[in-house]
Amino acid sequence: MTAHIKQPNTGEVLRYLGYRGQEMSSQLAAQIEACGREVAGAAKFAVIYKHLPIEEISAEKACAGDTAQPADDPGARLSEIFLPGKDIAAHLKGCSDAILMAATLGADVERLLLKNEVSDMSRALIMDACATQLIEEYLDAFENELRESMAGESLYLTGRFSPGYGDLPIEIQGEIAAVLDTHRKIGLTVSKTHLLIPRKSVTAVLGISQKPVRLSARGCDLCSKKADCSFRKEKRKCNE
Amino acid sequence: MNDVIYLDGAMGTMLLPLGMTAGDNPSLFGMKRPELLEKIHMDYITAGSRVILTNTFSANADKLSGSGFSVKEVVSANVGAAVSAKRRAALSGINVRVALDIGPIGELPEPYGSLKSDHAYDIFREIIIAGEAAGADVIYFETMSALQELRAGILAAKENSRLPVWATMSFEAGGRTFLGTTVAAMGITLDAMGVDAMGFNCSVGPGEFRLFTRELRRFTDRPIIAKPNAGLPDPVTGRYGLNAEAFAAQMTDVIAEGASLAGGCCGTDPAYIKALVDAQNERGKDAPETQSPALAKTPAVCSAVKAVCFDGIRIVGERINPTGKKRLRQALLDGDMNYVMNLAIEQEEAGADILDINVGCPGIDEPAVMEQVVKAVQSVTDLPLQIDSSDPAAIESGLRACCGRAIVNSVDASDEKLAALLPIVKKYGAAVVGLTMDGSGMPKNADERVALAAKIVKKASEFGIAPEDIIIDCLTLTAAAQPDQTKETLEGVRRVRNELGVHATLGISNISFGLPARELLNGTFLAQALGAGLDFPIINPCSRPMMDVIAAAKALLGEDNDCLGFIKTRSEQEVLPENTKTADSGADTYTIESAVSKGLPDEVSALVKKMLAERDELEIVNSCLIPALDKVGKQYESGKIFLPQLLTAANAACAGFDVIKESILSKGKSDVNRGDIILATVEGDIHDIGKNIVRVVLENYGFHVIDLGKDVPAQKIVETAKEKNVRLIGLSALMTTTVPAMEKTIELLRREGHECVVMVGGAVLTEDYAEKIGADFYTKDATASVRVAEEFFK
C-alpha cells in the first residue's frame, strides 16, 4: 500500500498559499517546512475503493442529422450508483469498468488544523495548504499504484474525476459514501450540506479501459475550484 | 474458564445475497422482509447465539428522513422479527436476549462535524423508547468511533429506559478509533458512566482484539464484549481473510484474555458462531478451570483521546479561573472563547496534565458558560478536565458537556454540600475533590483536616465512590496571615494520604499572598508539599520555576525513570539562553513598524511596554500599531507580501494589543473598542479558516469581534445581533451549497427589522453574487473587511 509521505512538496504548498516570488524570511521558509512535517506526521491516509462494472453511459442521443443532441439524462450508470452529468459520461467514455474511491487524511489532521486556527492563524493557513497538497500526493501515489497493477492486465486507467468537477454535482457525495461504507471503513462522513468530514478528504471516479487512454491535464472547465479559483480571479492558471 | 455468552455475527453480510444492495438502508430492507430477518436470527440461535442484535443499525431519524417511514415503525418491525425468533427459541427451552442495535448517526460530532450532543441525544432517545416498547432486553451501541456521540447515547439510554446498556466501539489496529479515542479512554469513560458491558466490534480481526481486551481490563471490571471481523478484507474482492475455524481459534485467545461476550462482525455468519461455540466447548473439556487473575482497576480520568492515571504527580493547570483576572472575566462575559481556548492550549503545551475550569464571576450565567467553555476547551486540547464551581448546577452542566471522565472541584464536608453534590458525582462517575472544611469555618490543625476528610470519604463510600477516586484538599492558607497553619496543611497531606488512601491536592500560590519573592515561597512550599505526598498540585504550568520544582521532585521521588526526563529537559534548557536573544535586546533594534512587518510578537510587545511609560494607550494604537498594520495591508494588496506574511504581521501586532489591553484593564478603564462586529460562518459550513483570518485582522485594528464560530444557525446570528445591539455583521461561506444559508441569514436579519450592514466573503462569492443575496458589501479579503469596518464606524 501507499508508502508514508514525510512531507508535502514545499513548492506546491507555496503555490496554494498564493506565493509569487515575494521576498521571504528564513523563519517563514522554515515554518512552512515544519508545518509540512507536522501535518504529515498527523496524517493517517486511508483509502477505500470498489471496482464496479459500467452498465451504461448516456452522453448523447443517437445522431439525427449532423449535430449530436445531449441525452435527456446524461450520466454513467455503474453497477451500484448512477453518476449524473455529461462530463462524467465523457470522462468514462470507452471504459468498461470504473474505480469508485474515497480517501481521507483522518481526524488527527482535522484536530491539528482546528487547534491552530485558534492559537496561530498564520500556522493554520500554512497547515491547511500543506494538508491539501499532502492528500493530493497520496492520491497520486495511490493512483499510480493502481495504474501499474492494471497495466499488468493490459488495462488502462483514466485520471481521477471528483464530484464538483464539471457538472457532476457534489450532492452525490452522500451516495458515494454510502456505497463505499466510508464511515465504517475509513471514518469519512458527509454532512447534510454535502461536505466531506474530515475536511481533508476526497472522493473520485476513475475509468478502466481496454484501450490506452490519454491522460490530459484537467482544464478549468472540469475543475471543482473553477468558481472560486484565486488564479482565475487574477486571470492566471494554476498549472502555468 | 469464564462462562462465555455468545452473541451473533454480521447482519449486513447476510442481507446482501438476499437482494439488498450496497448503499441501501438495511433497516428499511429488513422491515419489508421480516420473515428473512427472523430466519437469520434463528440461524444464529441454532448456531449457539444467546444474544441477538436487531436489524436497527441505521434506524435513526437522520438516516430515515425522506423514506416515508417513522423511526417507531422501522424499529418496531425490525425488533419484532428478533422478538419472534426469541419466542420460537423459548419453545425449545432456549433463553435468548434481544439487543436493540444502535449504530452511529452518520455525521461526526462537533468540533469535527455538525452533530450536536443534544441532537444526538434526541435521536438516540427516539430509537431507545421505540425499541424498549417493541420488546428489546438490552440497549446495544456499536461501531462507534466518536466517544462524544456514544456518551450522548448512553445518557439517553440511562435517562429514558431501565434496560441494561452495552456498548462497543471500533478500533483501528493501533488501538485508536478513527477519531482518536483510545481503549483506555473508552474504558474509563464507559465504566464511569455505569455501562453494563463494553468492548469492541468491527474494523479488525480477533488478533488485535486480544490486545484491546488486555488493555481494557486495566480500566474496568465489567464484562467485555468482542465482536471482531473475520480478519481483514481483500481490497479487490472484499472477501475476509479468516475462515470460521481460524476465526474461532483466534477468538479462543481473546476469551482467554478476558472477553466474556463473544460474537462476530463483518464477514462472519452462523457457521463462524457455531465454530466459535464448538471451539470453546472443546477447550472447556480439556482446559483446567482457570480464571484470568482479577486486576485492580486503575483509577484515572480522561478526555476523548487521553487517559491520565492517578499513579503519580499530576499537574492541574489553574489559569482558567477568572478570580483576580480581569481579562479572562471580560472574555467570559463576552463569550470570547478564543481567549479561553488559548489559555488551554498554552497550559497543555507547558506540560499540564489536567485543566481546572472555573467560570464563576458576578453577572454570569454560570451553568451555560461552563458548558460553553468545556466544549470550547475540549475542541482544542486533549487534556482531561476538572470542573470547578461552588454551584451544583454549573458542575452538572460541566460534567454533562465534558467528554471523558472529569474531576469535580469540589465538595466540602458540610452535610448540605455532600447531599447536593455526591449524587451528581456518582451519576457522571466523576472523581472528586473534597475540601477539608465545613459550615463551621476553617480547620485549625491537621487533626481537624483528617477528621473532615474522613467524613467525606465515608459519605462518598455510601454512594459507591471509592477512596482512590477522591482527592483531598487540605487547604493552603496564606502564610503571612496564618503562619502556624502551613505545617498543619503539610501534616494533613501526609496523613490523609497514609491513613485514608486518598489523593491530595493543593492550590499552591495562595501561600505567598502579601509577601515578597512569591515565586521562591511558592516553589519551596510546592517542594515541601510534594514531599508530604501531594500528587495533584494546582499551579500555573506556564511558570518555569514551578515546573522546575515538579521536574526535580519527580526525579527525586522516583517518578522519572532513571531521571532521564529531568536530564533531557535540563540539557535542552541550558542550551537555550545562548541561542535565543531576549525580547528586550530586540526592542532596541526594531521599531514597532519593522517588528510588525517582520512578524516578531515578542519584540512588538516589549516595544509597546516601553512606550507605555511615556505614552497613552490609545495614542500608541493610533499612531503606531494601526499605521504599521496599514502598511503591511497595502503591501499585501499590491502583492509585495503574501497571505502568511500578512498573518504573521497581524499576529505580531496582536501581541502589542494584548499589552495595551492589560494596561487599560489594570487601570480600570474600558477597553479600546472601535466598534462591535459579529462574525460567523453560516449554518452547514464548517470551513472556518477564512472567517478566522478576517477576525484576527479586524481585532488587530481595534474592533471588538463577537465570533460566533462555524455552522451558526441564522436565528442565533439574529438573536445575538439584537441582544448585543450589533450593527455590522460579517458572514462567511465557502461552498456553493452553503451560500443559500447565507442568503437565509440576511433575509432573516432584514425580516426581523434589525437595522444593520452585512458584509460577506468566502471563496465562491463575487461582487454580483453578494448583491444578489442581499448583502451590503462583498469583502474579497481581510483587508477589504477592515475598510468596510473603518468606513462604518467613522
Side-chain angles (χ1 to χ4, degrees):
Chain A
M1 199 53 235
T2 319
H4 186 67
I5 298 172
K6 292 203 170 57
Q7 188 176 348
N9 180 303
T10 306
E12 293 294 306
V13 170
L14 281 170
R15 200 167 60 76
Y16 279 117
L17 289 170
Y19 179 69
R20 293 158 69 181
Q22 290 93 338
E23 193 187 326
M24 186 167 42
S25 70
S26 58
Q27 286 104 310
L28 183 57
Q31 189 182 36
I32 292 171
E33 298 277 328
C35 285
R37 283 191 297 272
E38 202 172 334
V39 169
K44 252 181 101 185
F45 179 75
V47 57
I48 176 93
Y49 65 95
K50 272 187 176 178
H51 183 137
L52 302 174
I54 297 175
E55 292 173 349
E56 191 189 356
I57 292 181
S58 39
E60 292 163 356
K61 278 180 179 171
C63 299
D66 292 342
T67 48
Q69 293 291 312
D72 296 333
D73 190 14
R77 187 168 303 283
L78 278 49
S79 61
E80 293 182 12
I81 188 170
F82 176 71
L83 302 169
K86 60 179 173 33
D87 294 317
I88 185 67
H91 186 76
L92 295 178
K93 196 175 166 193
C95 295
S96 58
D97 296 76
I99 297 285
L100 185 68
M101 63 166 294
T104 179
L105 290 183
D108 288 351
V109 167
E110 186 77 43
R111 209 171 159 77
L112 186 65
L113 295 174
L114 288 170
K115 182 173 163 176
N116 278 282
E117 280 179 38
V118 171
S119 60
D120 187 338
M121 267 321 294
S122 170
R123 273 169 61 85
L125 180 78
I126 295 167
M127 285 186 169
D128 194 273
C130 289
T132 303
Q133 170 58 20
L134 187 66
I135 193 163
E136 283 299 315
E137 287 179 31
Y138 269 117
L139 289 169
D140 289 345
F142 168 77
E143 186 183 317
N144 286 337
E145 280 173 31
L146 209 55
R147 181 165 288 119
E148 278 165 28
S149 79
M150 296 274 163
E153 301 166 55
S154 299
L155 294 172
Y156 302 89
L157 199 62
T158 69
R160 304 189 295 273
F161 196 100
S162 292
Y165 291 4
D167 62 355
L168 181 62
I170 71 160
E171 283 79 0
I172 197 79
Q173 298 284 31
E175 220 177 306
I176 294 177
V179 167
L180 294 174
D181 199 10
T182 58
H183 191 172
R184 188 190 279 258
K185 299 281 169 53
I186 59 170
L188 170 62
T189 63
V190 180
S191 78
K192 288 192 184 76
T193 42
H194 318 292
L195 309 180
L196 300 179
I197 300 175
R199 284 174 293 175
K200 298 303 173 187
S201 303
V202 166
T203 65
V205 187
L206 302 89
I208 300 172
S209 169
Q210 263 94 23
K211 285 176 279 185
V213 292
R214 196 164 61 91
L215 292 172
S216 53
R218 268 197 323 266
C220 293
D221 285 343
L222 294 185
C223 179
S224 61
K225 297 247 178 284
K226 185 181 175 186
D228 60 283
C229 175
S230 51
F231 294 97
R232 282 171 59 87
K233 281 184 182 174
E234 294 172 16
K235 311 229 179 304
R236 298 189 303 143
K237 283 190 173 174
C238 65
N239 51 8
E240 275 170 359
Chain B
M1 218 193 79
N2 300 333
D3 275 339
V4 179
I5 298 170
Y6 299 99
L7 279 58
D8 58 10
M11 175 60 77
T13 317
M14 303 292 288
L15 292 174
L16 282 172
L18 300 174
M20 190 182 80
T21 52
D24 282 356
N25 185 327
S27 303
L28 286 171
F29 180 82
M31 79 176 289
K32 290 166 197 152
R33 310 292 300 274
E35 73 291 348
L36 289 181
L37 282 186
E38 190 178 330
K39 172 154 189 324
I40 294 169
H41 289 313
M42 280 316 295
D43 288 348
Y44 276 122
I45 293 169
T46 310
S49 300
R50 292 299 173 263
V51 179
I52 53 172
L53 273 56
T54 59
N55 180 41
T56 45
F57 185 84
S58 306
N60 68 61
D62 274 14
K63 286 193 176 159
L64 292 174
S65 80
S67 71
F69 293 100
S70 72
V71 170
K72 192 168 174 221
E73 286 170 302
V74 177
V75 168
S76 303
N78 284 289
V79 173
V83 169
S84 51
K86 171 185 164 172
R87 292 206 182 108
R88 268 170 64 190
L91 297 177
S92 328
I94 300 172
N95 187 15
V96 170
R97 276 177 279 179
V98 170
L100 174 68
D101 187 57
I102 305 177
I105 292 169
E107 278 204 67
L108 291 187
E110 297 178 307
Y112 303 101
S114 317
L115 180 63
K116 295 180 170 55
S117 294
D118 292 350
H119 181 62
Y121 181 96
D122 291 343
I123 283 187
F124 288 131
R125 182 179 56 192
E126 190 179 17
I127 305 167
I128 288 159
I129 290 172
E132 183 166 14
D137 305 305
V138 174
I139 295 167
Y140 191 109
F141 294 96
E142 62 145 315
T143 323
M144 291 284 170
S145 58
L147 190 59
Q148 186 70 287
E149 181 183 2
L150 177 54
R151 273 186 88 250
I154 293 166
L155 286 171
K158 294 260 169 198
E159 292 171 355
N160 296 283
S161 157
R162 305 187 71 115
L163 295 179
V165 181
W166 298 3
T168 61
M169 298 185 80
S170 291
F171 292 83
E172 296 293 283
R176 302 195 333 145
T177 70
F178 286 128
L179 290 186
T181 293
T182 56
V183 171
M186 175 188 80
I188 294 162
T189 306
L190 300 192
D191 189 270
M193 294 182 83
V195 167
D196 300 281
M198 70 186 78
F200 323 97
N201 78 293
C202 204
S203 207
V204 288
E208 285 82 5
F209 273 51
R210 195 170 59 84
L211 303 175
F212 300 164
T213 304
R214 182 184 298 171
E215 170 77 352
L216 182 55
R217 284 186 62 235
R218 293 176 55 210
F219 298 100
T220 188
D221 41 23
R222 292 168 204 264
I224 292 177
I225 306 168
K227 250 175 151 274
N229 289 347
L232 291 173
D234 181 290
V236 179
T237 62
R239 287 176 60 97
Y240 286 83
L242 296 177
N243 64 23
E245 285 64 37
F247 177 83
Q250 291 192 15
M251 279 300 281
T252 303
D253 296 337
V254 181
I255 290 165
E257 209 56 78
S260 57
L261 294 154
C265 200
C266 303
T268 63
D269 62 20
Y272 283 73
I273 302 303
K274 178 151 193 328
L276 173 61
V277 176
D278 289 348
Q280 289 306 304
N281 289 342
E282 198 57 34
R283 184 168 169 272
K285 271 191 292 188
D286 311 333
E289 287 285 304
T290 54
Q291 185 82 38
S292 15
L295 284 174
K297 205 164 76 180
T298 315
V301 289
C302 66
S303 66
V305 294
K306 186 173 180 174
V308 171
C309 295
F310 289 8
D311 56 0
I313 297 168
R314 299 292 173 250
I315 300 161
V316 183
E318 68 179 9
R319 291 181 64 205
I320 303 181
N321 184 332
T323 313
K325 297 193 192 97
K326 288 180 182 157
R327 180 78 199 275
L328 176 57
R329 189 187 304 169
Q330 196 59 47
L332 292 172
L333 287 168
D334 291 347
D336 175 5
M337 287 301 111
N338 278 296
Y339 183 77
V340 182
M341 286 191 273
N342 270 312
L343 288 178
I345 292 170
E346 282 166 23
Q347 293 183 90
E348 178 172 34
E349 285 173 355
D353 296 304
I354 295 165
L355 295 180
D356 189 87
I357 309 286
N358 183 316
V359 300
C361 55
I364 211 160
D365 177 354
E366 203 180 331
V369 175
M370 179 63 90
E371 179 186 342
Q372 189 185 16
V373 169
V374 164
K375 285 183 177 166
V377 166
Q378 289 206 314
S379 74
V380 291
T381 75
D382 294 342
L383 300 183
L385 303 183
Q386 174 162 296
I387 309 297
D388 181 359
S389 174
S390 53
D391 174 7
I395 286 186
E396 175 149 24
S397 156
L399 289 174
R400 202 171 178 87
C402 178
C403 189
R405 182 184 194 223
I407 303 171
V408 166
N409 185 13
S410 57
V411 295
D412 64 29
S414 66
D415 292 329
E416 314 83 77
K417 261 291 165 71
L418 289 165
L421 278 167
L422 289 178
I424 301 173
V425 172
K426 180 64 191 168
K427 177 179 177 189
Y428 292 93
V432 62
V433 171
L435 282 184
T436 52
M437 56 187 276
D438 59 13
S440 62
M442 290 291 173
K444 291 179 197 63
N445 51 40
D447 281 344
E448 287 187 23
R449 286 174 165 87
V450 176
L452 290 162
K455 180 182 174 190
I456 295 169
V457 170
K458 181 164 175 294
K459 274 285 173 196
S461 77
E462 290 167 15
F463 285 86
I465 301 165
E468 56 266 28
D469 284 328
I470 300 172
I471 307 165
I472 292 296
D473 185 339
C474 286
L475 301 180
T476 304
L477 300 176
T478 304
Q482 290 163 286
D484 58 327
Q485 283 297 311
T486 306
K487 64 180 191 310
E488 299 296 332
T489 299
L490 294 170
E491 182 60 14
V493 169
R494 189 167 294 132
R495 287 184 52 197
V496 298
R497 293 280 278 145
N498 292 336
E499 294 170 21
L500 300 173
V502 296
H503 302 276
T505 188
L506 285 174
I508 298 297
S509 53
N510 201 31
I511 197 78
S512 61
F513 195 73
L515 291 171
R518 292 193 64 181
E519 271 192 338
L520 174 62
L521 288 168
N522 292 347
T524 306
F525 178 60
L526 174 61
Q528 291 171 325
L530 292 169
L534 173 71
D535 51 352
F536 288 80
I538 304 180
I539 61 165
N540 174 4
C542 303
S543 156
R544 167 94 176 269
M546 298 295 271
M547 294 300 277
D548 282 349
V549 169
I550 287 179
K554 278 186 174 176
L556 298 176
L557 293 170
E559 286 193 23
D560 178 356
N561 184 22
D562 291 336
C563 304
L564 291 176
F566 185 76
I567 294 167
K568 185 165 174 287
T569 48
R570 288 320 289 187
S571 47
E572 279 166 9
Q573 282 171 9
E574 256 130 50
V575 181
L576 274 178
E578 294 155 38
N579 290 348
T580 50
K581 112 184 122 32
T582 65
D584 287 321
S585 70
D588 297 330
T589 38
Y590 292 103
T591 61
I592 285 196
E593 189 183 294
S594 66
V596 165
S597 89
K598 286 193 157 49
L600 304 168
D602 293 346
E603 280 72 7
V604 175
S605 93
L607 281 162
V608 170
K609 271 181 199 153
K610 234 173 153 182
M611 290 172 90
L612 276 170
E614 295 149 21
R615 295 164 79 171
D616 177 43
E617 290 89 358
L618 270 181
E619 194 192 330
I620 299 172
V621 170
N622 290 328
S623 65
C624 299
L625 283 169
I626 288 183
L629 278 168
D630 278 338
K631 190 166 171 206
V632 291
K634 287 207 180 78
Q635 287 175 333
Y636 171 68
E637 283 177 355
S638 67
K640 265 187 90 176
I641 60 173
F642 71 131
L643 191 52
Q645 291 169 314
L646 175 71
L647 289 174
T648 338
N651 192 36
C654 189
F657 275 101
D658 278 342
V659 174
I660 299 270
K661 276 185 187 163
E662 294 289 347
S663 167
I664 288 174
L665 285 171
S666 73
K667 291 177 189 164
K669 290 195 270 183
S670 64
D671 205 349
V672 199
N673 182 2
R674 298 175 70 195
D676 292 341
I677 304 171
I678 288 177
L679 289 186
T681 299
V682 298
E683 185 164 29
D685 207 325
I686 46 137
H687 297 84
D688 217 15
I689 196 160
K691 182 218 69 192
N692 287 340
I693 291 171
V694 172
R695 183 195 73 226
V696 167
V697 176
L698 282 172
E699 281 180 343
N700 278 339
Y701 272 86
F703 296 102
H704 176 230
V705 174
I706 300 166
D707 183 355
L708 297 179
K710 62 190 174 186
D711 191 19
V712 188
Q715 195 61 43
K716 166 115 191 251
I717 295 168
V718 175
E719 275 166 18
T720 313
K722 283 177 151 180
E723 184 197 318
K724 307 211 165 172
N725 192 26
V726 180
R727 302 290 167 174
L728 179 58
I729 294 166
L731 301 176
S732 165
L734 192 87
M735 309 289 285
T736 43
T737 47
T738 53
V739 173
M742 182 180 260
E743 186 171 10
K744 188 180 132 196
T745 305
I746 297 173
E747 214 179 273
L748 191 65
L749 280 165
R750 307 293 189 223
R751 184 148 29 97
E752 297 272 307
H754 182 70
E755 250 180 67
C756 61
V757 163
V758 180
M759 55 179 172
V760 297
V764 294
L765 285 164
T766 58
E767 196 84 54
D768 295 345
Y769 206 174
E771 196 186 325
K772 208 182 106 204
I773 62 171
D776 299 292
F777 292 98
Y778 164 63
T779 45
K780 76 173 174 62
D781 56 24
T783 49
S785 69
V786 169
R787 279 196 301 273
V788 170
E790 286 187 322
E791 190 59 32
F792 183 83
F793 290 110
K794 203 153 83 179

